[in-house]
Amino acid sequence: MNCISPPALDDRQLLAYVDGEADSAVAAHLERCTYCSDKARAFARLQNRLTARLYRLTCPTPSELGDYHLGMLPTAHRVAVAQHLRECPHCSREVAQLRSYLRDLAPEPGVREQVKVRMARLVSGTGKDRPRGAGPLAPAVAGIRGEYDEPYIYQVDEIQVAIEVQADVEQPDRKVLLGLITGLEARPLTAQLWQDEQSITTAAIDESGNFTIPHLISGQYALILNGPEVEIQIQALEV
């Protein structure tokens, strides 16, 4: 396929169009020319991918924000995060949501002090430690955050949480969250999912550490694993 009115639009003209800065002649050309309009769409897709990768690149991680709220950061790091929060509405909102989660989950006075609240840290998002060709992790934890093929692994001390997001076979437009927690013997355990400062659903964690939360709309959630003496939080979990 060739441009219908050579010469074809160059990269500078196409990028200006994608950015909404093209002149009327370029816009008119693209309305008539399939060849150049296909190139413009390819530029737009590339720009969207780059924007997604760079989005909030300089923000603290959810684990750092959680440690900041709990007063667990070293002094210099805490000061840097505090400065960032004064300038970043996104991180300020995450800390406010975390504060709301902790407030709403707090039991009767005198009981909360016995529960240790821990923020899980992401230690692997690619499954790079899994042997090549290994079978699925129970309960088939093999992918994470939508369409990736490998699990995200979160860790707190000796406790690990592996999470996978799959398509829901019963509702194709929904997702299923599959989880496996190891290294935590305390029972009973529950998994609670939050979104926009509201509890969405609660699922039991079985004796093997598996849990399943079906019928989820794609979006960002907070996952809270509750035990008798410990509460593990995973913030900014994409489903």
Side-chain angles (χ1 to χ4, degrees):
M1 181 184 300
N2 297 315
C3 177
I4 64 168
S5 181
L9 298 178
D10 59 29
D11 291 352
R12 178 186 58 80
Q13 291 170 307
L14 293 173
L15 285 172
Y17 176 79
V18 170
D19 291 336
E21 300 174 355
D23 58 33
S24 58
V26 170
H29 181 96
L30 288 168
E31 288 181 0
R32 302 190 311 271
C33 181
T34 302
Y35 174 79
C36 291
S37 61
D38 285 346
K39 289 183 64 177
R41 282 192 289 271
F43 271 112
R45 288 193 296 270
L46 175 61
Q47 184 161 292
N48 288 338
R49 288 197 296 269
L50 291 174
T51 300
R53 287 179 179 272
L54 294 174
Y55 177 65
R56 298 186 65 185
L57 185 64
T58 61
C59 289
T61 66
S63 293
E64 288 175 314
L65 292 176
D67 288 348
Y68 169 83
H69 177 67
L70 296 174
M72 298 171 60
L73 291 179
T75 301
H77 196 173
R78 184 172 66 251
V79 171
V81 172
Q83 174 63 34
H84 180 85
L85 289 173
R86 286 194 289 270
E87 302 171 354
C88 179
H90 304 291
C91 290
S92 296
R93 183 171 61 250
E94 284 194 27
V95 171
Q97 289 174 342
L98 175 60
R99 187 178 300 114
S100 175
Y101 298 149
L102 293 177
R103 182 182 63 248
D104 292 344
L105 287 172
E108 295 299 323
V111 176
R112 185 67 189 178
E113 290 76 10
Q114 301 175 13
V115 179
K116 295 180 179 179
V117 178
R118 308 300 302 273
M119 305 300 300
R121 296 181 180 275
L122 179 65
V123 296
S124 173
T126 62
K128 61 184 179 181
D129 297 327
R130 243 174 114 227
R132 185 178 296 276
L137 297 171
V141 177
I144 186 67
R145 288 198 177 182
E147 303 301 330
Y148 290 109
D149 294 328
E150 300 292 347
Y152 271 8
I153 308 296
Y154 293 88
Q155 187 152 351
V156 177
D157 299 329
E158 73 283 0
I159 303 167
Q160 280 196 346
V161 184
I163 299 176
E164 175 189 7
V165 176
Q166 293 184 350
D168 192 324
V169 295
E170 296 180 0
Q171 300 184 43
D173 61 333
R174 300 297 179 95
K175 302 293 184 179
V176 176
L177 187 151
L178 304 175
L180 171 64
I181 181 170
T182 58
L184 181 60
E185 301 301 326
R187 293 293 188 274
L189 291 171
T190 59
Q192 190 173 39
L193 207 60
W194 288 70
Q195 187 179 55
D196 296 332
E197 303 185 25
Q198 295 184 357
S199 176
I200 303 301
T201 186
T202 300
I205 301 175
D206 68 21
E207 291 298 319
S208 298
N210 298 308
F211 60 93
T212 303
I213 304 177
H215 313 322
L216 297 175
I217 298 173
S218 296
Q220 189 175 92
Y221 295 83
L223 177 65
I224 300 177
L225 308 174
N226 291 301
E229 299 179 356
V230 66
E231 177 184 292
I232 299 171
Q233 298 194 8
I234 297 174
Q235 298 291 325
L237 177 62
E238 294 291 341
V239 172

